[in-house]
Amino acid sequence: MPYTKNWETEGVVTTFFGTVSIEEVINADKEFYEDPRSDKSRYQITDFSGIVPESANDVDIQKIAAFDAGSSMSIPLLKVALVTNDQHVKTLCEKYIYYSQRLNSTWEFKICDNLQNAREWVSG
């Protein structure tokens, strides 16, 4: 399990590290939804700044976006901050946001260069 999940008063911070596969991102996502605290969460920060990504294709990204878009119906006001300063990971995050918006997700999204910027954005 190449991630940690830290629940806070109004949300969760998931920090990935090392080599990360799409399946591991999906598993972390499922853990979020299975936890009763997710129903009252205002934000979800996912920190990818310390990862080496495995290959991912558009179908993988669409799968995550579809899963999350469906969940946005029960958690409609979530702010999702994605933290990375790696261009390849940023491109994957941009695709995820694009597909999520096409699927009518109700969430707000932002890609941030660091955790501090992500925290400031979800607080605003």
Side-chain angles (χ1 to χ4, degrees):
M1 181 169 79
Y3 63 89
T4 59
K5 189 172 293 292
N6 296 311
W7 286 93
E8 300 176 349
T9 305
E10 296 186 328
V12 66
V13 178
T14 304
T15 305
F16 285 90
F17 48 89
T19 303
V20 176
S21 69
I22 287 296
E23 289 78 22
E24 290 159 333
V25 174
I26 291 170
N27 287 338
D29 221 14
K30 286 179 183 176
E31 270 185 31
F32 173 72
Y33 299 121
E34 291 171 355
D35 192 300
R37 294 173 283 190
S38 67
D39 294 337
K40 296 180 182 164
S41 292
R42 286 190 343 87
Y43 64 84
Q44 181 183 46
I45 298 172
T46 305
D47 187 353
F48 293 115
S49 60
I51 73 162
V52 177
E54 288 187 359
S55 63
N57 59 43
D58 278 10
V59 172
D60 294 330
I61 303 301
Q62 288 173 9
K63 185 189 316 185
I64 296 171
F67 187 67
D68 287 350
S71 298
S72 76
M73 301 304 170
S74 61
I75 312 170
L77 302 176
L78 197 69
K79 284 185 156 184
V80 177
L82 305 166
V83 180
T84 186
N85 54 18
D86 178 90
Q87 187 55 50
H88 175 69
V89 177
K90 186 176 182 179
T91 299
L92 294 174
C93 291
E94 289 168 346
K95 286 182 179 186
Y96 163 76
I97 292 169
Y98 170 76
Y99 291 128
S100 295
Q101 290 171 336
R102 285 191 57 203
L103 293 167
N104 298 318
S105 174
T106 61
W107 297 346
E108 290 183 64
F109 300 95
K110 184 168 176 111
I111 299 171
C112 300
D113 289 338
N114 59 59
L115 190 56
Q116 180 179 343
N117 289 346
R119 288 192 176 282
E120 290 171 6
W121 180 71
V122 298
S123 305

